[in-house]
Amino acid sequence: MSIYISVQQHDFTVADEYAALNNDTACRTSCGAVVMFSGLVRELANTTLTAMTLEHYPGMTEQALQQIAEQAQQRWQLGTVRIIHRIGRLLPNDQIVFVGVSSPHRLAAFEAAQFIMDYLKNTAPFWKKEHTSEQDYWVEAKASDQAAIKRW
């Protein structure tokens, strides 16, 4: 089992992350599944989003992501977990987050990736400011994200 965590400003390449998951010696020949999720900056329903700024608490954020990955590895048989979260100013359609999980079985990989995203959205110390054509504002936690974590 191995865990890779990165909080970074620069973009990532999904193909490179897949290769890293697939080639990791922790699961090189025993894993039959790789599940990946990439979150993007998306438009808002009622106004035009011009950008999004993501801030974090250095050191604490990486530690929180590490703990989430370790919890996933305790719950499911996993090979490698890779979590990348971007910070700084992002534009619509920019990649924000990557979660990749390898596992011997697909169900464990799917569930672990979902678990990681649900916990990341609710417990990792990130702050998101949305910049719209009308105003800038900090985003509050969403009830749907808070409900999603309860299933675990």
Side-chain angles (χ1 to χ4, degrees), residues 1-5 17-35 66 69-83 100-113 116:
M1 298 186 302
S2 69
I3 296 172
Y4 173 81
I5 305 292
E17 296 310 315
Y18 175 79
L21 285 162
N22 196 33
N23 293 324
D24 193 307
T25 56
C27 198
R28 179 78 178 110
T29 58
S30 61
C31 285
V34 172
V35 169
Q66 178 77 26
E70 289 171 358
Q71 288 175 352
Q73 286 188 325
Q74 291 170 0
R75 295 178 73 128
W76 294 277
Q77 184 181 3
L78 303 178
T80 301
V81 175
R82 294 183 69 84
I83 303 172
V101 175
S102 65
S103 173
H105 305 288
R106 72 177 183 275
L107 182 59
F110 276 117
E111 288 180 349
I116 291 167

Side-chain angles (χ1 to χ4, degrees), residues 44-55:
L44 301 173
N46 300 326
T47 187
T48 301
L49 181 74
T50 58
M52 175 185 297
T53 300
L54 287 155
E55 296 183 3

